[in-house]
Amino acid sequence: MATLTVLSGDLSKALSNAEAWLPAKSPVPVALLSAEMDALVVTVTDTFTAGEARCPVESFIGEPEAVEVSRADLIALAKRAREDGTRKTHSRITVEAGAGVILHGAIDEKNPKPATALAVNGNEYRPEWAMLADLWTIAETHEPWLMVAPQYMTLLNKVRPDVAGRGAHLVAVPEIGPMPEVGAVFGKVGKHFRALIMTLDEKRNEDFLGEGGLW
């Protein structure tokens, strides 16, 4: 069993971000919660997308553990975390392989109300997690990195294509001039719509990027 102490706001963000990435009708209807020495990691996938949210750990007792929990339990954990997430306090959470997860709540409360998520498959885990571990490694080391404003990427979802259900076809476009850096992401949605989404300079937008490129 692993017992973690985390900032309540960080836990609220991590669980809420993971919840947002796991649709109601997913072929992988569970989330993987991994208690690592430096972070609580929540991974979700529907085989078309994958999301991994990390909550930094203030203190760690025990051994690294991993548990699969249902989407309903993930939502319940996220809801409970948000109750303390607006306060500058710490929360305690335990993860036990084969058993489940207990979010005990803020440590400065005398009688905090816990939220429990039971392990779905005991000590067995779906094969998607091992595959994703390899994909994360490849993705993290791939170059070049591109930075764009997320709100502009979502505009592609508002396009009315020539045929319902069209995908967006994307390619990186180099800047005009002698430098090979990528200047924009070029996209087509069907035959009748095309778009350019400009990339952001990482040095001039360091605050937008975040420390080390991490969220």
Side-chain angles (χ1 to χ4, degrees):
M1 183 174 67
T3 301
L4 297 71
T5 301
V6 301
L7 285 173
S8 299
D10 288 344
L11 181 62
S12 176
K13 289 177 183 177
L15 291 173
S16 295
N17 287 340
E19 174 193 344
W21 272 86
L22 186 58
K25 295 182 179 180
S26 171
V28 185
V30 296
L32 181 70
L33 275 72
S34 303
E36 300 179 359
M37 297 297 292
D38 61 343
L40 175 69
V41 182
V42 189
T43 308
V44 295
T45 183
D46 65 354
T47 71
F48 291 100
T49 68
E52 182 183 273
R54 301 179 68 88
C55 175
V57 169
E58 297 279 311
S59 69
F60 185 101
I61 301 174
E63 299 292 333
E65 301 273 18
V67 171
E68 286 184 357
V69 302
S70 69
R71 181 178 182 273
D73 278 352
L74 175 64
I75 292 174
L77 291 174
K79 180 180 179 181
R80 177 65 187 88
R82 285 192 289 269
E83 294 178 9
D84 300 318
T86 58
R87 301 162 49 203
K88 290 186 178 180
T89 184
H90 289 80
S91 294
R92 186 164 55 90
I93 184 169
T94 58
V95 179
E96 184 175 359
V101 178
I102 301 175
L103 172 53
H104 301 276
I107 61 176
D108 58 0
E109 290 188 19
K110 292 184 179 180
N111 297 296
K113 181 181 177 182
T116 301
L118 297 178
V120 173
N121 296 315
N123 290 313
E124 297 183 5
Y125 304 101
R126 295 182 64 102
E128 287 86 357
W129 312 128
M131 183 184 303
L132 279 177
D134 294 335
L135 285 173
W136 293 128
T137 300
I138 294 171
E140 286 282 359
T141 57
H142 187 68
E143 296 287 351
W145 284 86
L146 304 178
M147 182 166 66
V148 298
Q151 64 267 30
Y152 298 140
M153 293 296 291
T154 60
L155 289 173
L156 291 169
N157 194 44
K158 298 181 179 181
V159 174
R160 297 179 63 185
D162 54 336
V163 176
R166 284 281 196 211
H169 203 181
L170 305 177
V171 67
V173 181
E175 290 183 352
I176 297 175
M179 300 302 290
E181 284 84 358
V182 174
V185 175
F186 174 56
K188 287 186 175 183
V189 182
K191 296 181 179 180
H192 307 304
F193 185 86
R194 63 180 183 173
L196 286 170
I197 300 172
M198 305 307 169
T199 60
L200 301 177
D201 182 89
E202 294 188 6
K203 292 182 179 178
R204 287 186 293 176
N205 296 274
E206 186 175 357
D207 291 340
F208 191 70
L209 175 66
E211 182 181 355
L214 302 176
W215 10 296

